Amino acid sequence: MSHDKNIVEEQKRVDEVIQEINIIEEKLYSKAGGLKESIIDLRKNFWDDVTVNLDEPDDVIETQASLKQQAELLAERERSHGKIGKQLKTLARLKDSPYFGRIDFKERPRNEEEQIYIGIASLMDQHEEDFLIYDWRAPISSLYYDFPPGEASYQTIDGTITGEITLKRQFIIRQGNIKGMFDTGVTIVDNLLQDALGNNASTTMKSIVATIQKEQNKIIRNEHSKLLVVQGVAGSGKTSAVLQRIAYLLYRFRENLNSENLLLFSPNPLFSSYISNVLPELGEANISQTTYLDFLKEGIEKDIAIESPFEQMEFTLTCKDEQLLASRQQNMNLKSSIDFKSILDDYLSSLLISGIQFRNITFRNEILISKESISKYFYSLENNISIPNRIELVSKWLLKELRVIQDREKPKEWVLEQAELLEKEEYLQAYYENQRVDEEDFSIEEDVLRTQVIKRYFAPIRKQIKQFAFVHTLATYRQLFIDWEPSTVSDEWDTICELSIDYLTNKFLTWEDATAYRYFRGKIIGDKEHRGVRHLFIDEAQDYSAFQFAYIQEVFPYARMTLVGDINQAIFSYASTENPLVPNFFDESFERIVLTKSYRSTKQIVEFTKKFAPGGEIIEPFERDGDPPNVIFLESISKQTEEIINSIARFKDKQFETIAILCKTLKESNDIFDMLKDKVAIKQITEETYAFDKGIVVLPVYLAKGIEFDAVIIPDGSLEHYNQESDRTLFYTACTRAMHSLTILTTNNPCSFLQEALN
């Protein structure tokens, strides 16, 4: 059959599928309308339909049952309405592009050929008899991603199904019309990828289910690995594959897994916003997302300042005090390591006997219970009771002591003085809470009011005791650096102690201290184990230290983990001597999948950047041609502004919609923004930016991790600016953000990485 005739036949089927969708939509709209009216009526008449009688115990039970029944009926109707709303959204997406692939599969031993059309969601005909479209996550759909025409197989719950693929066809369908159609012998033909990759960069990541490659499919459908490590070069689609993996897991285990059981650690809030629409595009609810910094903050006192990883990097890149920089480097190296965890564990063992610091419990500038008394009670408890359990017992003892103190304070003059200042509402509350008040018995009324005042004034103290605020965790952690001698002392220990004492005295945690302190605090007062998280996903995993991973393992004891990263982009690698993408400190064995093909950038940009890639990894460019990177040598730095503006104008002429000026540091970003803000329409992205719009943006490269732009300008690629070997990852990361065009400005003395690329 000719190609044109095939297109006519396939378009006819697309039209028939859309017609079926319209019929199903009408039925759902009708059903949704009826449900909406029912919900409104139920809400309006809720109490009319409930039997309320509280006279007798049996009547109370009947009333409770009636309330429960009515509430459950309303909740069930609301769930059904929400489900229909979700179905209608999926149908709307299917109407635009019903499917993107077709395979004809002859299953053995039946040898009956079945036409299988694959899209973002399953669709059955209006009679629910035949599949018109198979969900890309269905077991049979793996044939599309994993095999060319010929012998093929796929896994089901019942075992392996074998057979032969006789046809593999791919579509580009927009607004219900076939724009392109290809019969192919490989996974995804270049035409389809070219269409997906040749467009302008978006301010949000798009679903890539139509262009998933075989190696990405291995990531997506991996069900068995306790730990899955994905090493992917820049632009290899590793993050996209992991997001499709999340959608696959929610589909595959939909009976006992929901979005609340999955958690993603993003590198920064901007990235979280960038990927936020992928799962809804696939018909799944977004899972919980947070940065590791925000996660740590949840378990650290609010009055302690925490350095962010980007502030740590900014300090490292801009500090002019060589002695201070060397001290911080020693601090980072130790506190990012498993060795420091061992030091903490030894110190914690010693605290079973003595050393935990406590706070006085005070009230009205008087010490109610001294820290010495608390310490004495704590250490009077059995040593074999864990520290958090002993703290819990101390808390109960303190609350009991507080009740005695409250009774002692109640008759005092200040209580009656405060009673006279109570608001009218508080008087009424006191009255209703104690119905024994006789209007003519003023002594009873006074007792009630005194009770109200005591309750009010001691409530904050009770709350603090329940939150274990009487434990001075920071002072106890600080004591480690004052009088503790580790079993193996390094030459740098004294320097690290001096630096640590200084920061901790000022209630400041460096980034390398943040995880260590959260771990330490958890061992003292208890830390919440996130047992409900069944799958944890960590993007930019190469930027995590060994200590951070050890802590994550401890607080997510039942979670399977997927680590995603690129050792070529390890911009925080100075903080750890151990490579987190070779996690030899993990207890369990792991599976590694390596993605070497880069799809983001043009062939010319990939060939240029691979010459100075830090890890020396094999990087394969995708065959998408474009202009070679443009290196502009400036006669003097004063020409920088003019050349940036000229480059922006050239990019605009090419209809590029996202243009990024990527700087080494925040300071450089600030300077460039101040220089350009009155000359071009430019926006600055900082650590507090949660989303970005199309246009011209300037930002430090470490905030651009995982994001792509149509065009990238690096404003200073000189040796004076990128003068350390450790800058290689930053420079590489900046260059690989560009999809279509890359411009680098430099003096006549370019950095060594640029020289490597130009030679």
Side-chain angles (χ1 to χ4, degrees):
M1 193 183 290
S2 69
H3 183 73
D4 290 343
K5 193 170 181 182
N6 277 334
I7 286 184
V8 170
E9 288 294 317
E10 292 288 7
Q11 184 62 56
K12 182 182 175 185
R13 187 184 189 279
V14 169
D15 296 340
E16 289 171 354
V17 169
I18 291 173
Q19 190 175 348
E20 286 284 311
I21 291 172
N22 288 331
I23 293 169
I24 296 167
E25 268 186 335
E26 282 182 27
K27 289 181 179 178
L28 286 174
Y29 275 120
S30 175
K31 192 175 179 181
L35 273 172
K36 188 175 180 181
E37 287 178 16
S38 173
I39 290 166
I40 291 169
D41 286 342
L42 272 170
R43 286 176 177 168
K44 193 185 296 181
N45 304 314
F46 187 92
W47 291 106
D48 295 342
D49 298 331
V50 173
T51 305
V52 178
N53 192 338
L54 305 176
D55 293 338
E56 299 292 337
D58 288 347
D59 296 331
V60 171
I61 293 170
E62 185 182 338
T63 298
Q64 289 174 338
S66 180
L67 276 168
K68 185 181 178 185
Q69 184 181 15
Q70 195 74 351
E72 286 176 351
L73 179 62
L74 179 59
E76 189 273 325
R77 298 281 168 85
E78 287 175 337
R79 278 195 300 272
S80 297
H81 191 265
K83 189 176 178 182
I84 289 173
K86 188 177 177 182
Q87 288 174 306
L88 286 169
K89 285 180 182 177
T90 301
L91 290 173
R93 284 192 288 268
L94 288 176
K95 269 210 297 196
D96 177 64
S97 181
Y99 39 81
F100 49 78
R102 167 186 167 183
I103 49 173
D104 292 359
F105 184 63
K106 197 180 288 184
E107 182 185 326
R108 294 195 184 94
R110 290 186 302 158
N111 272 351
E112 291 178 11
E113 193 168 78
E114 182 184 0
Q115 292 180 358
I116 298 156
Y117 287 83
I118 298 163
I120 63 161
S122 293
L123 179 72
M124 299 190 79
D125 63 22
Q126 57 182 305
H127 306 296
E128 295 195 353
E129 292 175 352
D130 298 313
F131 274 98
L132 302 176
I133 306 168
Y134 283 89
D135 192 294
W136 65 276
R137 296 165 290 189
I140 198 169
S141 300
S142 65
L143 294 168
Y144 171 77
Y145 299 110
D146 288 342
F147 294 97
E151 293 295 309
S153 63
Y154 67 96
Q155 297 294 323
T156 69
I157 296 172
D158 298 324
T160 303
I161 306 297
T162 60
E164 180 188 2
I165 296 175
T166 57
L167 175 73
K168 185 168 184 177
R169 182 169 288 169
Q170 296 164 343
F171 305 94
I172 299 172
I173 303 174
R174 300 287 182 268
Q175 296 177 320
N177 295 307
I178 296 176
K179 301 294 185 184
M181 188 179 88
F182 323 96
D183 286 357
T184 177
V186 293
T187 306
I188 306 293
V189 294
D190 284 357
N191 311 60
L192 194 62
L193 268 174
Q194 289 284 8
D195 177 74
L197 301 171
N199 298 321
N200 283 330
S202 170
T203 54
T204 55
M205 185 180 284
K206 297 299 181 185
S207 163
I208 55 140
V209 288
T211 60
I212 291 169
Q213 304 298 290
K214 183 176 181 178
E215 63 272 19
Q216 292 166 331
N217 199 42
K218 283 175 64 182
I219 298 166
I220 293 165
R221 293 176 186 265
N222 183 295
E223 297 178 12
H224 308 294
S225 297
K226 173 74 173 170
L227 175 63
L228 178 64
V229 178
V230 180
Q231 156 62 34
V233 301
S236 57
K238 54 187 178 294
T239 300
S240 295
V242 167
L243 291 171
Q244 318 302 319
R245 169 169 171 72
I246 291 168
Y248 172 78
L249 291 171
L250 288 170
Y251 173 87
R252 172 70 177 82
F253 301 103
R254 53 193 177 278
E255 297 300 324
N256 50 20
L257 195 68
N258 59 55
S259 57
E260 294 174 1
N261 301 133
L262 286 76
L263 175 64
L264 171 65
F265 280 159
S266 299
N268 55 60
L270 183 67
F271 182 79
S272 297
S273 168
Y274 182 67
I275 65 172
S276 62
N277 70 319
V278 174
L279 290 172
E281 272 191 7
L282 296 170
E284 297 293 350
N286 267 325
I287 66 168
S288 298
Q289 281 188 62
T290 187
T291 63
Y292 183 60
L293 170 62
D294 286 339
F295 172 75
L296 286 181
K297 283 180 177 178
E298 291 174 8
I300 294 174
E301 300 94 318
K302 298 291 184 280
D303 61 339
I304 298 176
I306 306 172
E307 179 186 52
S308 75
F310 310 115
E311 288 168 337
Q312 183 201 59
M313 163 159 268
E314 197 71 25
F315 171 87
T316 308
L317 294 173
T318 59
C319 180
K320 303 299 182 188
D321 185 332
E322 291 186 9
Q323 186 175 349
L324 176 59
L325 184 59
S327 298
R328 270 301 296 273
Q329 189 69 60
Q330 292 167 358
N331 202 49
M332 291 175 199
N333 289 340
L334 175 65
K335 292 179 180 175
S336 300
S337 70
I338 294 297
D339 289 342
F340 188 59
K341 182 176 179 294
S342 298
I343 290 172
L344 280 180
D345 288 337
D346 288 344
Y347 179 54
L348 284 160
S349 294
S350 76
L351 295 177
L352 288 164
I353 310 301
S354 67
I356 295 180
Q357 307 290 302
F358 295 97
R359 289 188 174 95
N360 294 323
I361 293 176
T362 60
F363 179 68
R364 294 171 60 84
N365 298 320
E366 289 184 13
I367 296 174
L368 298 181
I369 306 172
S370 70
K371 57 188 177 183
E372 291 82 9
S373 299
I374 298 172
S375 179
K376 184 178 179 181
Y377 184 84
F378 177 87
Y379 283 110
S380 72
L381 298 169
E382 294 292 334
N383 285 352
N384 60 357
I385 302 174
S386 71
I387 292 176
N389 286 345
R390 276 198 263 175
I391 294 295
E392 182 72 43
L393 292 171
V394 172
S395 175
K396 290 176 180 177
W397 170 71
L398 288 172
L399 290 171
K400 187 178 177 182
E401 291 293 301
L402 196 64
R403 283 194 289 273
V404 174
I405 293 167
Q406 286 177 221
D407 291 339
R408 194 171 66 221
E409 289 290 315
K410 188 175 171 182
K412 291 185 178 178
E413 190 62 31
W414 72 266
V415 180
L416 192 58
E417 289 172 2
Q418 293 302 318
E420 292 170 356
L421 300 175
L422 289 174
E423 299 287 339
K424 182 181 177 181
E425 290 79 9
E426 291 173 302
Y427 270 104
L428 287 171
Q429 183 183 348
Y431 174 80
Y432 284 117
E433 283 183 4
N434 199 319
Q435 294 294 327
R436 66 189 174 89
V437 171
D438 184 337
E439 289 182 7
E440 295 181 1
D441 189 342
F442 296 107
S443 64
I444 295 177
E445 181 180 336
E446 181 184 315
D447 182 67
V448 170
L449 293 176
R450 283 180 179 275
T451 301
Q452 186 72 7
V453 169
I454 289 292
K455 182 179 176 183
R456 175 183 173 184
Y457 275 81
F458 277 83
I461 300 175
R462 296 181 68 84
K463 183 179 178 181
Q464 288 179 326
I465 290 173
K466 288 177 181 179
Q467 294 174 343
F468 309 141
F470 57 88
V471 186
H472 203 332
T473 318
L474 188 68
T476 311
Y477 182 71
R478 181 174 172 269
Q479 203 67 25
L480 164 68
F481 304 102
I482 295 174
D483 58 12
W484 176 255
E485 195 74 20
S487 55
T488 53
V489 182
S490 65
D491 295 337
E492 299 88 10
W493 180 247
D494 288 343
T495 303
I496 290 168
C497 287
E498 186 179 342
L499 190 74
S500 300
I501 292 166
D502 184 41
Y503 283 132
L504 296 172
T505 301
N506 291 294
K507 289 190 170 183
F508 178 76
L509 291 174
T510 61
W511 178 238
E512 61 269 23
D513 263 306
T515 298
Y517 179 70
R518 168 87 190 250
Y519 170 76
F520 179 81
R521 188 169 187 262
K523 292 296 183 182
I524 297 292
I525 65 169
D527 200 354
K528 181 173 67 173
E529 284 189 352
H530 296 258
R531 294 170 180 267
V533 175
R534 305 269 295 284
H535 287 270
L536 179 66
F537 304 88
I538 302 179
D539 208 346
E540 304 296 346
Q542 74 281 349
D543 292 329
Y544 284 69
S545 72
F547 196 136
Q548 287 169 340
F549 275 117
Y551 175 68
I552 287 168
Q553 270 195 306
E554 185 151 318
V555 291
F556 296 98
Y558 303 112
R560 294 177 181 271
M561 290 192 207
T562 303
L563 311 184
V564 190
D566 177 12
I567 56 173
N568 292 323
Q569 299 178 63
I571 61 174
F572 299 107
S573 58
Y574 52 75
S576 175
T577 55
E578 293 158 280
N579 186 343
L581 286 178
V582 187
N584 53 8
F585 45 82
F586 276 89
D587 297 334
E588 57 274 315
S589 59
F590 62 92
E591 182 173 350
R592 180 194 300 278
I593 297 175
V594 179
L595 304 177
T596 58
K597 183 165 264 188
S598 179
Y599 299 99
R600 173 188 296 136
S601 306
T602 61
K603 181 180 179 181
Q604 286 74 14
I605 293 173
V606 174
E607 293 290 2
F608 178 85
T609 55
K610 68 187 285 190
K611 292 178 182 176
F612 57 87
E617 297 278 307
I618 298 170
I619 303 172
E620 306 169 61
F622 176 69
E623 293 293 328
R624 182 167 66 86
D625 286 322
D627 296 329
N630 185 19
V631 180
I632 300 173
F633 291 89
L634 305 174
E635 293 177 11
S636 70
I637 201 68
S638 62
K639 296 284 186 182
Q640 185 187 49
T641 307
E642 180 185 340
E643 286 298 341
I644 291 174
I645 292 171
N646 290 341
S647 296
I648 289 170
R650 285 195 297 273
F651 293 150
K652 284 188 167 182
D653 287 344
K654 293 182 178 181
Q655 306 300 309
F656 290 157
E657 296 176 337
T658 56
I659 302 167
I661 303 169
L662 296 183
C663 304
K664 181 181 176 183
T665 64
L666 179 62
K667 182 182 182 304
E668 184 189 6
S669 176
N670 291 335
D671 293 343
I672 295 290
F673 178 73
D674 290 340
M675 195 168 64
L676 294 175
K677 64 184 179 183
D678 296 326
K679 299 177 177 64
V680 293
I682 190 170
K683 293 179 181 177
Q684 187 175 22
I685 290 176
T686 67
E687 198 177 337
E688 283 74 43
T689 304
Y690 283 75
F692 72 94
D693 300 318
K694 290 179 179 178
I696 308 159
V697 293
V698 58
L699 65 158
V701 62
Y702 50 75
L703 292 180
K705 298 289 286 287
I707 300 174
E708 60 193 21
F709 306 91
D710 291 327
V712 165
I713 299 169
I714 296 176
D716 187 354
S718 68
L719 183 60
E720 292 79 11
H721 199 49
Y722 288 92
N723 53 12
Q724 303 288 331
E725 177 57 30
S726 57
D727 293 337
R728 185 182 291 271
T729 52
L730 278 171
F731 192 73
Y732 175 80
T733 302
C735 292
T736 55
R737 300 307 93 199
M739 281 185 68
H740 307 297
S741 198
L742 171 64
T743 292
I744 303 170
L745 309 183
T746 181
T747 62
N748 288 321
N749 190 20
C751 66
S752 59
F753 324 127
L754 200 47
Q755 291 179 42
E756 289 171 31
L758 294 171
N759 289 337

